[in-house]
Amino acid sequence: MLSLFRSAPRPGAGGHSRVLFTLAECVPFAIALLVVAIEFSPAHFLYTGPLLTATPALAAVAMGPKGTLAAAGFALLISVATATYNQAWGSQQVYTNIVALLLVSAASVTTSSAVYTQRQNELNQVRRIAVAAQRVLLRPVPARLGPVRAASRYIAAEEGAQIGGDLYEAVQTRYGVRMIVGDVRGKGLPAVRSAAAVLGAFRESVHYEEDLVEVINHCAAALRRERAMPGGIDQDDEEEQAESFVTAVVAQVLDGPVVELVNRGHVPPLVLSGGKVQALMPTSPLPPLGLEDFIIGPAEKAESYPFAPGDRLLLYTDGVAEARNRENEFFALPDAMEAEHHSTGPEFLELLHQGLVRHTEGRMTDDVAMIVVDRIDNEPSDRRY
C-alpha cells in the first residue's frame, strides 16, 4: 500500500514522469558531449562556449548539489581539453568562457544546495507529521495482554514512509484478548481512511460485542459508511475508494487453550507449536470487508484452533507472504518462524524484518503489518520482553 504521504500516480502518468525526469538529468551531459563532438571535429570553428556555460545551470534544475558539481566539473574539463586540442590558449575568448563557466557553476551549485536544503526540511516536517499520525492510527500494542505477551511491527515498503493501508490492533477486553490485522486494497488517502474506519469500529465494538462475528460486521459497516461519504477527495480518489475492500482477520484468545478466528479474505495466521508451524486455514472462506454481496450460505461463525501455553501466533499481511527475491521466489515465512522459535516476540519481529530485507535485497514492494503473540500461561517469569 502506498503511504499517507506518498502521492498516488495517475494511471499511465507515473512511468511517464519518471522518464521525463531521467531525460532532464541527461540533458546537461548530452550537451557537454555535443560540444566534445563539435570541438574535436572539422566543425570546431563553431562557437560552443555558451553551450558549456549552460551545462551546470541546466543540471541545477533536475539534479542535486553533487550532480550539479559533477556537471560543472565535466564542463570545465571539456573546456580545458578542447582549448588544448585546438591550441586556443592565449585567446581572450577561452579565458572569458572559463570565467563565465566558473561563475555560472558557483551560482548553480549554491542554488541547488539551497533548494536541496529546503526540500529536506520540508520532507523532515512531513515525516514528523507522519510519525504523529502513525502513533494515533497504528499505535504499538501493549507488551502484556492477559494470558499473552504481544509485539507489533509496521514496515513501510518505501523508505521514509510511515502509514499505508495495512492495519493492526490488539486489545484486552472482558471477553478475552482480541486482535485484528488487515490490508486495504487501494492506495493513497482513500486507503488510509478505510484503515482508520475499520480500526475505529474494531476498537469500539470489541468491548461490547460478545460475538467475534459481530465485531467484524461492525468493521464492515464502518467501511461501507466511509465509502458512501461524499466530498473531500478528487474524482480519481472517489473511484479508488469505491472499488476498495479490506482483507482482515480478527482473533480472540480465550482463557482456555484455544484461539478463535474470523477470516475475511486475509492470509491465514500461523501458529508455532512444538517447533512446527501450522497455517490456520478457514474451513469456509469468506470475502473481504466491502464485498458482503458475495457471501453465500448461512451466517459465518468464529472458528476455534488449539493455542496452548508456549505456542506462538503470528498475524500478518500479504506483504510478508508475497515478498519475492530476484528469482521470483516467495519468502519462506514458516521456515523463518521455526528457525527463530527461541526468540522473544520483539526479537522475532526484528529478525523477520531483517530476513525480509535480505530476501528482497531491500526492494520490498508492499507494506507489512504484523502482530506476534505468545501464550504464557505457566511460563517462567524470567522470560525477557
Side-chain angles (χ1 to χ4, degrees):
M1 300 301 164
L2 297 186
S3 78
L4 175 61
F5 298 101
R6 200 184 312 167
S7 60
R10 299 290 183 262
H16 183 63
S17 298
R18 287 190 292 270
V19 170
L20 289 178
F21 187 79
T22 302
L23 289 176
E25 290 181 323
C26 295
V27 166
F29 296 97
I31 292 176
L33 292 176
L34 176 62
V35 171
V36 171
I38 293 174
E39 291 291 343
F40 287 89
S41 72
H44 64 85
F45 59 87
L46 295 175
Y47 184 45
T48 59
L51 292 177
L52 278 181
T53 303
T55 299
L58 292 173
V61 175
M63 307 172 72
K66 293 182 179 180
T68 304
L69 189 60
F74 188 44
L76 182 61
L77 178 63
I78 291 174
S79 182
V80 172
T82 55
T84 302
Y85 179 79
N86 294 315
Q87 299 179 356
W89 288 108
S91 65
Q92 183 178 359
Q93 189 180 67
V94 170
Y95 296 117
T96 300
N97 289 342
I98 291 178
V99 170
L101 179 58
L102 291 175
L103 290 176
V104 172
S105 298
S108 299
V109 171
T110 301
T111 302
S112 180
S113 298
V115 171
Y116 178 80
T117 301
Q118 181 180 359
R119 288 177 178 173
Q120 284 297 115
N121 291 337
E122 292 174 352
L123 179 59
N124 291 336
Q125 182 178 4
V126 168
R127 285 175 175 170
R128 286 193 295 269
I129 295 172
V131 169
Q134 184 185 36
R135 290 173 180 171
V136 174
L137 185 60
L138 295 178
R139 57 199 181 198
V141 303
R144 176 68 185 266
L145 291 166
V148 301
R149 292 193 184 274
S152 61
R153 175 66 68 93
Y154 179 85
I155 306 169
E158 182 176 328
E159 184 179 358
Q162 294 296 333
I163 302 176
D166 289 8
L167 58 98
Y168 66 82
E169 182 61 288
V171 182
Q172 185 172 4
T173 72
R174 55 181 173 169
Y175 307 111
V177 178
R178 289 177 162 181
M179 298 162 283
I180 184 172
V181 169
D183 190 352
V184 181
R185 185 270 180 193
K187 45 192 168 184
L189 288 173
V192 177
R193 280 194 294 270
S194 296
V198 171
L199 276 177
F202 175 82
R203 288 167 176 164
E204 179 182 5
S205 61
V206 288
H207 292 287
Y208 64 81
E209 287 291 353
E210 182 177 3
D211 190 348
L212 198 61
V213 173
E214 288 303 314
V215 173
I216 200 72
N217 288 342
H218 277 283
C219 296
L223 180 63
R224 289 195 297 271
R225 290 193 298 269
E226 175 62 30
R227 290 168 58 178
M229 187 176 299
I233 52 179
D234 60 32
Q235 182 178 356
D236 289 334
D237 283 347
E238 286 180 354
E239 294 175 357
E240 183 74 40
Q241 182 162 305
E243 298 174 356
S244 69
F245 57 82
V246 181
T247 67
V249 58
V250 291
Q252 177 173 270
V253 178
L254 305 173
D255 291 335
V258 296
V259 58
E260 292 185 346
L261 298 177
V262 178
N263 194 326
R264 293 292 298 271
H266 200 70
V267 289
L270 300 180
V271 163
L272 175 65
S273 179
K276 298 296 182 182
V277 171
Q278 177 185 0
L280 304 184
M281 302 293 297
T283 57
S284 300
L286 296 169
L289 306 181
L291 300 179
E292 283 71 27
D293 292 341
F294 293 94
I295 296 180
I296 302 176
E300 67 269 26
K301 61 180 180 179
E303 300 185 46
S304 298
Y305 303 88
F307 188 47
D311 291 351
R312 169 169 288 173
L313 174 68
L314 178 66
L315 309 177
Y316 57 98
T317 56
D318 59 9
V320 182
E322 297 180 0
R324 306 188 190 199
N325 58 16
R326 293 186 182 274
E327 286 71 38
N328 213 30
E329 298 171 335
F330 290 108
F331 180 71
L333 180 57
D335 294 343
M337 198 169 177
E338 291 177 359
E340 306 297 341
H341 66 279
H342 290 301
S343 61
T344 64
E347 291 171 349
F348 167 71
L349 293 182
E350 176 59 28
L351 292 170
L352 189 56
H353 181 193
Q354 295 174 8
L356 285 169
V357 172
R358 287 194 302 268
H359 182 75
T360 62
E361 298 181 9
R363 299 177 295 106
M364 295 181 63
T365 59
D366 198 1
D367 298 343
V368 168
M370 299 178 288
I371 292 181
V372 61
V373 292
D374 290 330
R375 189 85 188 218
I376 58 173
D377 296 349
N378 303 322
E379 184 187 58
S381 59
D382 61 349
R383 180 165 180 174
R384 295 178 295 107
Y385 269 85

